[in-house]
Amino acid sequence: MQNELETLRNYISASNYIVFFGGAGVSTESGIPDFRSVDGLYSQKYKYPPERIVSRSFFMSNTADYYDFHKARLLHIDAKPNAAHIKLAELEKMGKLKAVITQNIDGLHQKAGSVKVLELHGSVYRNFCMECGLNYEVKVISESDGIPYCSCGGVIKPDVVLFEEQLNDDILNESLMHIQKADMLIIGGTSLGVYPAAGLLNYYRGNKLVLINKSETPWDERADLVINNSIGEVLNAAVI
Ligand code: ZN
């Protein structure tokens, strides 16, 4: 891996508009199970298949069951940022990195100190009343018994993008803008199989496309640098 690390270091030092695009693999190194991997949530036994639970229609029709799952499996309030989150925050402070675009909903980039974080799939840290729109902290969800209700009586919904729901247009557009401007794009912890990841990457026009993922991805041939290793270990070694 030494040669790859050296190339990565050279890329970083030559870049002034780095954008990071991250998937579930960034969070698994903080002990948060991957939604879609075979070892992840989807292979676990539950009353309903997890991919059905995290859908809009299930939330609306089986709200109590949704929240059982949400509190047990999607809330990881005590999880800590790992080396990947920390190094990305450092790159931002250095003025090198301009945006983190993430598919994760766990808020770990912000915990590590990142400021510009575009959360494509929302965040468990934001919650709102479906009736009056009032915002609620995550504590209200985690400490609630069963379904969390607003003081107005409405059901509180986490601001996460469930299946059957649209991505937020503003976040999507801002992500595209950053990817178009980027002189270096680092993609980490994703096999790029999840919408809209692959589509977004088509907007990158630079010549420093870096893929860091434990396994191969369909994009490896298009990348300028591929490192099949832990994202935390790689960034820890490359960013000093
Ligand atoms: Zn309300």
Side-chain angles (χ1 to χ4, degrees):
M1 191 166 79
Q2 282 314 313
N3 288 342
E4 284 95 341
L5 281 176
E6 202 176 316
T7 306
L8 182 56
R9 279 189 212 109
N10 291 339
Y11 279 7
I12 290 172
S13 77
S15 301
N16 295 302
Y17 205 114
I18 302 172
V19 170
F20 179 80
F21 184 99
V26 178
S27 292
T28 50
E29 293 176 28
S30 286
I32 295 177
D34 181 349
F35 239 51
R36 291 173 172 86
S37 85
V38 280
D39 299 321
L41 283 179
Y42 285 6
S43 61
Q44 289 168 2
K45 296 261 183 282
Y46 236 75
K47 200 169 148 194
Y48 301 92
E51 67 270 27
R52 199 178 137 208
I53 297 176
V54 292
S55 69
R56 172 88 184 178
S57 51
F58 191 88
F59 180 87
M60 299 306 285
S61 60
N62 299 56
T63 313
D65 286 323
Y66 172 85
Y67 266 114
D68 282 349
F69 183 85
H70 184 89
K71 292 176 198 176
R73 300 291 180 194
L74 299 182
L75 282 189
H76 300 279
I77 296 172
D78 297 326
K80 295 197 167 50
N82 61 59
H85 301 103
I86 291 163
K87 291 298 176 183
L88 289 166
E90 285 178 16
L91 283 172
E92 186 183 32
K93 280 193 192 81
M94 289 177 212
K96 292 237 166 229
L97 183 138
K98 304 300 183 195
V100 167
I101 304 166
T102 181
Q103 298 180 291
N104 300 325
I105 57 174
D106 50 47
L108 286 178
H109 287 291
Q110 290 93 332
K111 272 192 194 172
S114 283
V115 178
K116 179 49 78 182
V117 182
L118 296 161
E119 296 168 310
L120 289 172
H121 293 162
S123 171
V124 296
Y125 284 90
R126 293 186 301 270
N127 304 273
F128 62 92
C129 170
M130 294 180 82
E131 295 299 326
C132 73
L134 197 64
N135 292 309
Y136 283 91
E137 286 179 31
V138 68
K139 236 175 68 176
V140 174
I141 309 298
S142 62
E143 291 174 359
S144 64
D145 206 11
I147 301 171
Y149 288 100
C150 177
S151 47
C152 83
V155 172
I156 300 173
K157 184 179 180 292
D159 187 12
V160 298
V161 180
L162 302 174
F163 288 116
E164 303 157 4
E165 290 182 329
Q166 301 281 329
L167 298 182
N168 179 302
D169 274 341
D170 292 338
I171 294 172
L172 202 52
N173 288 333
E174 199 179 344
S175 301
L176 288 181
M177 185 271 287
H178 283 295
I179 290 173
Q180 283 176 328
K181 282 188 180 176
D183 54 8
M184 175 174 184
L185 178 61
I186 307 174
I187 299 160
T190 172
S191 55
L192 295 168
V194 182
Y195 174 83
L200 278 174
L201 305 190
N202 281 320
Y203 287 82
Y204 177 63
R205 295 167 184 152
N207 59 1
K208 295 190 282 289
L209 175 61
V210 181
L211 290 183
I212 306 168
N213 197 48
K214 281 184 179 165
S215 54
E216 292 176 6
T217 82
W219 274 65
D220 285 3
E221 278 182 24
R222 291 175 66 169
D224 299 293
L225 175 65
V226 177
I227 306 180
N228 289 134
N229 212 316
S230 142
I231 179 81
E233 275 178 46
V234 170
L235 290 182
N236 204 34
V239 182
I240 301 151

